[in-house]
Structures are given as structure tokens and as C-alpha cells.
């Protein structure tokens, strides 16, 4: 089991460029999440998908879009990258409903926007 | 008032000592609680989950939950240099989202 995988691991963009961050999980989880973490800071939720076919905004959704492609995959798109989006992006997944909701994180994508 | 309050530290303990990390939370409706460890440059790793009042032990780690006082804690016994990391508490309010604390940096010194 690979758990949660993310691609790419590193990316450098110029202001205004677009890109998609990919995330996949092999734990048959219902829910998936995208977080960003700025240097020395905590985790901020960008978007999440409680189940296949649904997506909802988190704390900091502006400048991002998401697609829940199927139960395994959840992508994050930056349409026009800005330097303020320089961050480390983590994808996570969980069973979703109910009491437990233990989230498991991928290795992260380190994004720099020049 | 933040939903989850956690001292950012750093908390410095000598090798072999007990490290005690704490969080308080405001929402009495929270039902499940977690501790995550994050090494510098790495992703958060789930190390403990606790759902009922009392203690839960796993090796050198003990998670404690007190719903009446609205706090959770993590005790690390026999601290090792490799325990140096940032530890975040998190809680689930059954909304599908976790609320994370800001994290406490633990430094274990030789």
C-alpha cells in the first residue's frame, strides 16, 4: 500500500502560469483534503471532498480549484499562480463520516512561484 | 478564542526525560482527538487517536483526554533525540474536517 501519493514533489512556476497538483490514495477512503503550509506555520485547509462527486471550500480557497476525479484521485489546480501561493501543499485522506476521521497525509508538493 | 489552543514552544527536555504537550479546545461537541508529529521538511504523521475520557498508551506515548476540562495531552516517556519534531493536536467535530492546533516544537537535548 502506497497510502497517499502526490505529484510532483517540487515545482517552480512563474507568476501567471497554471498547474495541477495530483493526489491519489489507495486506502479506499471516502474523503480527501488539500492543505497548504507556509514556513513555520500551521496547516490551512484549501478544499475538501467529503465523498466522490462533492467538493467544498475550506479556509483559504481563493485562487484554487479542485476536481474529485474518482474515489482515488483529488487534484488541485492553480489557474494563475501568484507569489503568495508559494507554499508546501499536502493532500490527505480519511474514511470520512463518523467518529474517527483519522486523516493520513501525502509527502507534499513544494511549490515556488517567482 | 481559537477553537484549539496549543503552546508553540519550543519545549526543551533532556534525553530520557518525560515530555508533556497540551492542548485546550472550545467546542464541547468534539468527539475524537488526534496527535500528529511533523519532522522538519516532512508531512504530518498520525501518532495517536483518542475518543474516550482517560488515558491511551502506545509504547512510549500516552494520550490523555479530559472532556470536562476540555483538554488533551500527549506524554512522551524516555524522550529520544529522534522525538524532536513539531507536535500538533487535532479534533474532529463530525463536520468532515479536522481542526488543528498551531503545533508545539519539541527539542530533545543530549
Amino acid at each position: 500500500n502506497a497510502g497517499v501519493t502526490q505529484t510532483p514533489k517540487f515545482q517552480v512556476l512563474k507568476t501567471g502560469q497554471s498547474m495541477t497538483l495530483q493526489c491519489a490514495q489507495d486506502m479506499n477512503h471516502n474523503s480527501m483534503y488539500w492543505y497548504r503550509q507556509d514556513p513555520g506555520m500551521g496547516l490551512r485547509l484549501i478544499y475538501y471532498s467529503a465523498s466522490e462527486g462533492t467538493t467544498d471550500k475550506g479556509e483559504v480557497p481563493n485562487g484554487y480549484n479542485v476536481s474529485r476525479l474518482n474515489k482515488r484521485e483529488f487534484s488541485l489546480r492553480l489557474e494563475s499562480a501568484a507569489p503568495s501561493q508559494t507554499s508546501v501543499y499536502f493532500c490527505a485522506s480519511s474514511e470520512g463520516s463518523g467518529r474517527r476521521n483519522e486523516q493520513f497525509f501525502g509527502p507534499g508538493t513544494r511549490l515556488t512561484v517567482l | 478564542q481559537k477553537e484549539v489552543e496549543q503552546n508553540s514552544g519550543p519545549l526543551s527536555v533532556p534525553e530520557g526525560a518525560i515530555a508533556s504537550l497540551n492542548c485546550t479546545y472550545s467546542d464541547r461537541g468534539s468527539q475524537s482527538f488526534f496527535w500528529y508529529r511533523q519532522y522538519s521538511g516532512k508531512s504530518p504523521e498520525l501518532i495517536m487517536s483518542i475518543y474516550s475520557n482517560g488515558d491511551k498508551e502506545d509504547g512510549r506515548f500516552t494520550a490523555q483526554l479530559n472532556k470536562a476540562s476540555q483538554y488533551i495531552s500527549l506524554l512522551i516517556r524516555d524522550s529520544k533525540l529522534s522525538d524532536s519534531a513539531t507536535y500538533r493536536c487535532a479534533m474532529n467535530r463530525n463536520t468532515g474536517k479536522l481542526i488543528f492546533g498551531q503545533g508545539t516544537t519539541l527539542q530533545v537535548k543530549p
Side-chain angles (χ1 to χ4, degrees):
Chain A
N1 279 353
V4 181
T5 57
Q6 293 183 238
T7 55
K9 287 187 169 53
F10 301 93
Q11 184 71 48
V12 179
L13 293 178
K14 295 181 180 178
T15 297
Q17 287 185 317
S18 62
M19 78 162 296
T20 300
L21 282 64
Q22 306 286 354
C23 174
Q25 52 90 11
D26 62 3
M27 296 177 280
N28 200 35
H29 282 167
N30 293 310
S31 299
M32 299 183 73
Y33 310 82
W34 277 106
Y35 294 90
R36 63 176 287 176
Q37 185 175 38
D38 299 325
M41 302 292 286
L43 297 160
R44 291 189 291 172
L45 183 65
I46 305 171
Y47 270 95
Y48 69 104
S49 171
S51 61
E52 187 178 354
T54 68
T55 60
D56 284 289
K57 294 179 180 179
E59 184 185 351
V60 288
N62 290 347
Y64 305 95
N65 285 302
V66 290
S67 296
R68 183 73 183 266
L69 305 170
N70 47 55
K71 191 172 185 179
R72 290 187 63 248
E73 298 171 292
F74 189 37
S75 63
L76 178 72
R77 182 160 178 85
L78 287 72
E79 291 291 351
S80 178
S84 60
Q85 294 178 305
T86 293
S87 191
V88 180
Y89 292 84
F90 292 109
C91 177
S93 70
S94 72
E95 289 181 359
S97 61
R99 191 179 182 212
R100 297 179 68 86
N101 204 32
E102 297 169 326
Q103 290 188 15
F104 299 91
F105 285 78
T109 293
R110 282 147 185 81
L111 175 67
T112 300
V113 183
L114 302 175
Chain B
Q1 182 187 6
K2 288 184 181 178
E3 294 182 89
V4 180
E5 298 271 5
Q6 186 177 6
N7 190 325
S8 62
L11 173 66
S12 183
V13 300
E15 202 173 4
I18 296 175
S20 177
L21 303 144
N22 305 293
C23 286
T24 58
Y25 62 94
S26 58
D27 186 351
R28 289 187 176 273
S30 300
Q31 295 196 9
S32 47
F33 303 84
F34 311 95
W35 282 98
Y36 284 84
R37 176 176 64 197
Q38 188 173 19
Y39 293 113
S40 181
K42 301 295 185 182
S43 60
E45 174 192 7
L46 178 66
I47 56 172
M48 292 289 284
S49 307
I50 187 164
Y51 309 106
S52 305
N53 271 332
D55 295 359
K56 179 181 178 183
E57 188 174 316
D58 184 2
R60 295 186 297 111
F61 297 90
T62 299
Q64 299 174 320
L65 172 60
N66 184 321
K67 289 188 176 182
S69 300
Q70 294 175 253
Y71 83 79
I72 60 172
S73 62
L74 179 70
L75 299 178
I76 306 174
R77 291 181 299 281
D78 188 23
S79 294
K80 303 185 183 306
L81 297 177
S82 59
D83 293 329
S84 297
T86 296
Y87 291 80
R88 283 194 179 79
C89 58
M91 64 181 196
N92 174 25
R93 293 182 297 168
N94 284 346
T95 61
K97 298 180 285 188
L98 291 184
I99 307 298
F100 286 91
Q102 284 300 302
T104 299
T105 300
L106 174 65
Q107 297 173 345
V108 181
K109 298 195 171 181

